[in-house]
Amino acid sequence: MFEPSPSRSLTDLSEHYLHVRQRSLDLLRGISAEDMQIQSMPDASPSKWHLAHTTWFFDHFILRHYQASYQPFDPHFDYLFNSYYDAVGSRHARPERGLLSRPALDQILAYRAHIDSAIATLLDQQPHNAELQTLVTTGLHHEMQHQELILTDLKHALSRNRYALPTLKAPHCTEVNSPSFSAFGETITRIGDSGKGFSYDCEKPVHRVFLEPYRLRNCLVTNAEWLEFMQAGGYRDPTHWLSDGWYTCQQQQWQHPLYWEQKDGVWIELTLDGYRPLALNAPVCHISYYEADAFCRWAGWRLPTEFEWEHAAREGANLGGHFADSNHWHPQANSASESALAQMYGSVWEWTSSAFAPYPGFEPLQGALGEYNGKFMANQYVLKGGSCATAAAQMRHSYRNFFHPHQRWQFSGVRPAKN
Amino acid sequence: MFEPSPSRSLTDLSEHYLHVRQRSLDLLRGISAEDMQIQSMPDASPSKWHLAHTTWFFDHFILRHYQASYQPFDPHFDYLFNSYYDAVGSRHARPERGLLSRPALDQILAYRAHIDSAIATLLDQQPHNAELQTLVTTGLHHEMQHQELILTDLKHALSRNRYALPTLKAPHCTEVNSPSFSAFGETITRIGDSGKGFSYDCEKPVHRVFLEPYRLRNCLVTNAEWLEFMQAGGYRDPTHWLSDGWYTCQQQQWQHPLYWEQKDGVWIELTLDGYRPLALNAPVCHISYYEADAFCRWAGWRLPTEFEWEHAAREGANLGGHFADSNHWHPQANSASESALAQMYGSVWEWTSSAFAPYPGFEPLQGALGEYNGKFMANQYVLKGGSCATAAAQMRHSYRNFFHPHQRWQFSGVRPAKN
Amino acid sequence: MFEPSPSRSLTDLSEHYLHVRQRSLDLLRGISAEDMQIQSMPDASPSKWHLAHTTWFFDHFILRHYQASYQPFDPHFDYLFNSYYDAVGSRHARPERGLLSRPALDQILAYRAHIDSAIATLLDQQPHNAELQTLVTTGLHHEMQHQELILTDLKHALSRNRYALPTLKAPHCTEVNSPSFSAFGETITRIGDSGKGFSYDCEKPVHRVFLEPYRLRNCLVTNAEWLEFMQAGGYRDPTHWLSDGWYTCQQQQWQHPLYWEQKDGVWIELTLDGYRPLALNAPVCHISYYEADAFCRWAGWRLPTEFEWEHAAREGANLGGHFADSNHWHPQANSASESALAQMYGSVWEWTSSAFAPYPGFEPLQGALGEYNGKFMANQYVLKGGSCATAAAQMRHSYRNFFHPHQRWQFSGVRPAKN
Amino acid sequence: MFEPSPSRSLTDLSEHYLHVRQRSLDLLRGISAEDMQIQSMPDASPSKWHLAHTTWFFDHFILRHYQASYQPFDPHFDYLFNSYYDAVGSRHARPERGLLSRPALDQILAYRAHIDSAIATLLDQQPHNAELQTLVTTGLHHEMQHQELILTDLKHALSRNRYALPTLKAPHCTEVNSPSFSAFGETITRIGDSGKGFSYDCEKPVHRVFLEPYRLRNCLVTNAEWLEFMQAGGYRDPTHWLSDGWYTCQQQQWQHPLYWEQKDGVWIELTLDGYRPLALNAPVCHISYYEADAFCRWAGWRLPTEFEWEHAAREGANLGGHFADSNHWHPQANSASESALAQMYGSVWEWTSSAFAPYPGFEPLQGALGEYNGKFMANQYVLKGGSCATAAAQMRHSYRNFFHPHQRWQFSGVRPAKN
């Protein structure tokens, strides 16, 4: 587990840099330049754009400031690959990223190599620059976020054209069999990250939250349970749905999770491996907040708050000892001894009932990075945990993923709670 | 102050019923049947529809169940005046309420008289039926909510045609001059209503919330302050705005609050009295959540949470003693001695940063009334207090008004907070 | 038959004025002020608006210029009741005509009386003013056009709310039983109006058109024939449809003509008399150009051009002698002896395959009236004849009605042609 | 000039086939696979799709029927590259053609080679099959149509991203200096193609049209004249515009032709060569029907009908003798001696006032090819002549190009007429 702490040697950070940067390319093995070009909806971006934008982050926020006699690789890339609308300047329109046939993929790969070399040099030259190390670390976490988007965006694009479907490195979800609920008593808990390892501004500051007693299920809702919901008319009965959710359900004509379809009477789903029969014991995936909420209402449960989830995760970690520190998860952690609360990390992102909002005392980062999270704090809901496509180094108790309640192209599922 | 408690005599409830029902008609004095017919946007409803729908509530949820040999006034009214989509049955489409030229206003007034008479009889016949009294009380609070909508919806409709603008009973906001912030220390506070007086399901149950220290301004943001924001380019600079807010601001071409306009270099605004020069010391009104949030960000402040607001309101009440009980406000309460926190009630609704969500342990009402609040709990933000158009009996610390963050035709303003 | 010719005495025009103006009110007998207020789609206007706008025509184009010391009845009416966007000035937005609750119907009726009195005085004072007589005549024809819109717009509005449906003076279509085709040989025919009676600018100048031989059906397509088309899958098979038509058909989910519906297995349709069982031998009505064209393609026929239709109409008139002059129809003309080509006038408007375009040598009227027709000459198709709701004085061979090909709330049907 | 007549030897057709097929590839020299992937609006298609679809035409309509033991190159291509919605079967959605990253360009080029080889063999094997020759010829004309779309669609796509703009083979328009009008007397003229050379169904049958006297300008409207129109407020004054045109102009915020922009006070325009200063004497290009019509109205002129245009073109050809037969143009024809009517072919397509409609006696082709033109005959206007991007073999007097009146990404301009 990487930590940008003073004790960490420079070599570690340089190695971590190479490792993370390489993973972006590894994910796209077998994908053509033409596949990397396409954008299937405004919410998604082409793989090529992700490869360029994550590189631009290091270019724009680090090299421009730290490199003596900085010369941009290409002065137009600021316009093309900036996703931040204001402090940095104007940018290419988001829904038109799929029209960026130029620069070609080859040029983007050359751009990556150029920047990687410059960052390596910089880290060598300034081994004790803590601010630099923090920025590089931030850039790597930014890239890990985009790695998951590379997969979810590409999956969406591939779903629109079945011809010669390529397969991607396909992580799989764990399956669990015996659902039960774990009880948690009333408490004042500490929420957020205390700052030893990496975390985003929106995970700070640590603050106290009072929790009434609650129960949280030890495992995720499965495809089999979701089929029950469907067979019980879950997608046709407005009484289960939030008002905005029902409107969306009808307008989008939702009748099942995204990527499911029925073929000759059998349910199949698109995975990163291609189309496969539905795994009944696997966690349901690609559902929206609205669907997650409707399911819980139908079942007599509810979604947990982000605070309930985080408290339960920390409690489990304290008991099981699978965390390197109080916040960061280890890949080995998903073992049997944690079975009290299984599938907390590495299966699907878990919707919570908490709207994404600033913590008490929240201070955005200074400068352009200050837009990183703060400006998205409306109409989005927090998801906790991490999916099979999430980089291990990204998973921590305090991480707050967030999406709009109608969105379902992420690897998102549901863990019920009740009082 | 009305309370549906056992100690309340029947006469009080019957009188209260007549008083509330009459107020709906009083608000519309001077408004023609043609004016009451129009619907200027899907969010709003015609006055005639409000008069009918509030009556249908008593008809459908009370008379149908409690009246021996119930005969509907008109069997089609269930379809026309139901605003609940599911448990009750199909209904006339909301955006087409303005097409209901039939039944005529005269018929709706006859419907009101018919139902009022039947409710009076029922209350006489069943003087000790507590459930009946609760339902009647709920119906009256429902009607008070619609009374404010009658005014805001009609104001919006009138704004589209200046010809022969009628004037309405025009409540005015109080003005305040010396802004300062009151400090509140960290605490575990009790939030919600304990159930002695009337409250909605979403205000329950009482539960504990931990508050970090915070400060709350003693008065509302004024029109003068808003002009400063405008002159500083507040509507043109995306750095102040939430991402969804900036999108809305651009798409709707917002440049000032709703109903403001510049005439010969002077700012005027539409009030229920007609167009008037902008009162500089009056609270800014008709702003959206997005605008309220952008203003605070620009000023270096933030919106309070609903919990901070409610705690402060209760503290003020405890000190000042202007509340009949721990939750309910008295009209005389807005006096000088409360100046520590002025304008908490009776000026404008105050946006909070809290998404409208269920309280821990929330149980919706049983049956069709269960949709009353629960289904709206997504994408809306809580507003606290009460406006100049809010019925006094509706104002209480625990009341949670809620609207979408882009909506601004309500009497909504902003009270800043900071850490 | 009215003709604004020199031989016509002044009394005739004054009487004709009163007759036409009264007919507008007669059509709305039994309709309430609230009914006259509503606008059910942007294409339609409220009855009250029609009553005001037709009056404004006389006010604005005649009284303002001919009346000594002209004082407007109300200076705001120019803004509210002008339907012409440019030469005359700004105007109230068309889709918001339904929001004009003020002025009230009573005021509009007073406006009508005021203007009628002024026009009567003016005609008395200037008995030999030919230009004045032409303008008054134009205003009356303008009003006759709006009379048909009063009925079609109101029918559309009433269709959205079945409650207490009022009935209107209900003209009925004639029924015919033995369809056959009449043959016409190649010819150079004269098209358009030579100017003796009233006609619009778009009917001029008379010009020559070469016609290849063609055949025209002697009667309109019936509801029974339309049911056959439906049962044969006409609304589901794209091969019958124009490309834009098929797109519209799918988007609007057309499955039958407007106002048809199936109740307990029986087809009923909304008429001005209310809902009635479908009359199988009556002409199909409320179909769009796209549907008319698809039907003909399915049946192996085609729509006639406007020139074929007009030539056939003139030929029929020449043979039968039912026309007062070469262009104008007499009510008695629809008699048995015209059976060679029946239902040419007074049943439904008949779609032609001719796009509405200027005739060779077309000159628009001077001034604001020049917008009357010219600016609509794109994307619309010519309809010939006249419906059961068309004023008799409006029916003439050269009349060119026109609507967009997707519109179907007019009384529009189809008469097939073939080579 | 190619003609599929009996006298034409087989070698000619085989050679013509290779020539036309090669031209599609030649046009795209220097364009990358990524550039060929993108689709910038639903009206346009990716270059790769054009290359595949034109090949599919030969595959589907010829090889499938004439080739013994036909084996499809790829059975999925019918679904992917069919642009015909009905008789042939379901197809990939048009607005999602840009998502077809698979098959890759390489595969499409292999597909082309495979089909070309098969067609060559087929023509060798069946040298006297007239139907086959007609179908191959139709396929070549179909491909020539798409060649122009390859250029216009690619130009549109390139316009959305200036980065590293490639240049295409850039045909240029001729310039002319002395505008005048040529007069034509009243006549009965023959319109359409008599069938000796190739033509589409919509150009038949030859029929007679009566023309009133008219005048046609000898040259096209220039960029200089268009600047005058702009400076005179042409885009701001509704009196010049058709009603639908004005609506479009406002909604699209048109202020100049497509691809024009002002840079440092100088007008530049995007050409296939990149951005260049506006050539004042060149014909204005990339204007819609609405703009062409508004310009003429402003100038006191009008658009010609398609019949006026075709008659004038034939008259000029008869006089000048630059046509191989009565319908087909020779590249050498655009010479000085034709100056009476210059720029009729090879500069820009010329909007006419004629809605695209069937000729009297029109019979669509049998089978799936019958949809070729017939289904588009609504809401489109005929353009005559041919642009600098039009293949020479496509230019003939009877050719009827057609587009919607709001479309302006084609090489379209205007030649005025008057009475």
Side-chain angles (χ1 to χ4, degrees), chain A residues 81-132:
Chain A
F81 301 122
N82 166 22
S83 70
Y84 294 74
Y85 50 74
D86 46 4
V88 171
S90 66
R91 54 165 186 164
H92 185 79
R94 175 173 187 137
E96 300 209 346
R97 289 178 184 164
L99 301 184
L100 292 176
S101 51
R102 288 150 290 112
L105 178 61
D106 285 349
Q107 268 176 286
I108 300 304
L109 295 177
Y111 180 41
R112 287 184 71 90
H114 176 89
I115 297 299
D116 288 350
S117 162
I119 291 285
T121 304
L122 199 61
L123 287 174
D124 273 352
Q125 288 167 345
Q126 307 190 25
H128 304 300
N129 185 333
E131 188 188 59
L132 170 63

Side-chain angles (χ1 to χ4, degrees), chain B residues 35 74 96 101-102 160 163, chain C residues 35 74 96 101-102 163:
Chain B
D35 284 330
D74 189 307
E96 300 209 344
S101 52
R102 289 151 289 115
R160 312 311 294 257
Y163 184 83
Chain C
D35 284 330
D74 188 309
E96 299 209 346
S101 50
R102 287 150 290 114
Y163 185 82

Side-chain angles (χ1 to χ4, degrees), chain A residues 32-41 48 74 76-77 80 92 96 98-107 157-166, chain D residues 32-41 48 74 76-77 80 92 96 98-107 157-166:
Chain A
S32 71
E34 283 154 290
D35 283 330
M36 290 198 212
Q37 174 65 44
I38 59 180
Q39 178 178 34
S40 53
M41 60 171 174
K48 185 168 82 174
D74 189 308
H76 300 100
F77 283 13
L80 296 175
H92 185 79
E96 300 209 346
L99 301 184
L100 292 176
S101 51
R102 288 150 290 112
L105 178 61
D106 285 349
Q107 268 176 286
L158 298 182
S159 75
R160 310 312 294 256
N161 171 24
R162 292 184 172 217
Y163 184 84
L165 211 57
Chain D
S32 71
E34 283 154 290
D35 283 331
M36 291 198 211
Q37 173 66 45
I38 59 181
Q39 178 178 32
S40 53
M41 62 171 172
K48 186 168 82 175
D74 189 308
H76 300 99
F77 283 14
L80 296 175
H92 185 80
E96 300 209 344
L99 302 185
L100 293 176
S101 50
R102 288 151 290 114
L105 178 61
D106 285 349
Q107 268 176 286
L158 297 182
S159 75
R160 310 311 294 257
N161 172 24
R162 292 184 172 216
Y163 184 83
L165 212 57

Side-chain angles (χ1 to χ4, degrees), chain B residues 32-41 48 74 76-77 80 92 96 98-107 157-166, chain C residues 32-41 48 74 76-77 80 92 96 98-107 157-166:
Chain B
S32 72
E34 285 153 289
D35 284 330
M36 290 198 210
Q37 173 65 45
I38 59 181
Q39 177 178 32
S40 53
M41 61 171 174
K48 186 168 80 175
D74 189 307
H76 300 99
F77 283 14
L80 296 175
H92 185 79
E96 300 209 344
L99 302 184
L100 292 177
S101 52
R102 289 151 289 115
L105 178 61
D106 284 349
Q107 269 175 284
L158 297 182
S159 76
R160 312 311 294 257
N161 173 22
R162 292 183 171 218
Y163 184 83
L165 212 57
Chain C
S32 71
E34 284 154 289
D35 284 330
M36 290 198 211
Q37 174 65 43
I38 60 180
Q39 178 178 31
S40 53
M41 62 172 173
K48 185 167 82 175
D74 188 309
H76 300 100
F77 283 14
L80 296 175
H92 185 79
E96 299 209 346
L99 301 184
L100 293 176
S101 50
R102 287 150 290 114
L105 178 61
D106 284 349
Q107 268 176 287
L158 297 182
S159 75
R160 310 313 293 257
N161 172 23
R162 293 185 170 215
Y163 185 82
L165 212 56

Side-chain angles (χ1 to χ4, degrees), chain C residues 68-90:
Chain C
S69 65
Y70 169 77
Q71 293 291 335
F73 178 81
D74 188 309
H76 300 100
F77 283 14
D78 248 14
Y79 179 82
L80 296 175
F81 301 121
N82 166 23
S83 70
Y84 293 74
Y85 51 73
D86 48 3
V88 171
S90 66

Side-chain angles (χ1 to χ4, degrees), chain A residues 366-395:
Chain A
Q366 292 305 308
L369 280 177
E371 299 181 50
Y372 204 92
N373 287 304
K375 75 178 179 180
F376 297 111
M377 287 170 162
N379 304 321
Q380 314 222 29
Y381 285 83
V382 173
L383 300 101
K384 299 291 285 185
S387 83
C388 56
T390 309
Q394 241 187 307
M395 296 196 231

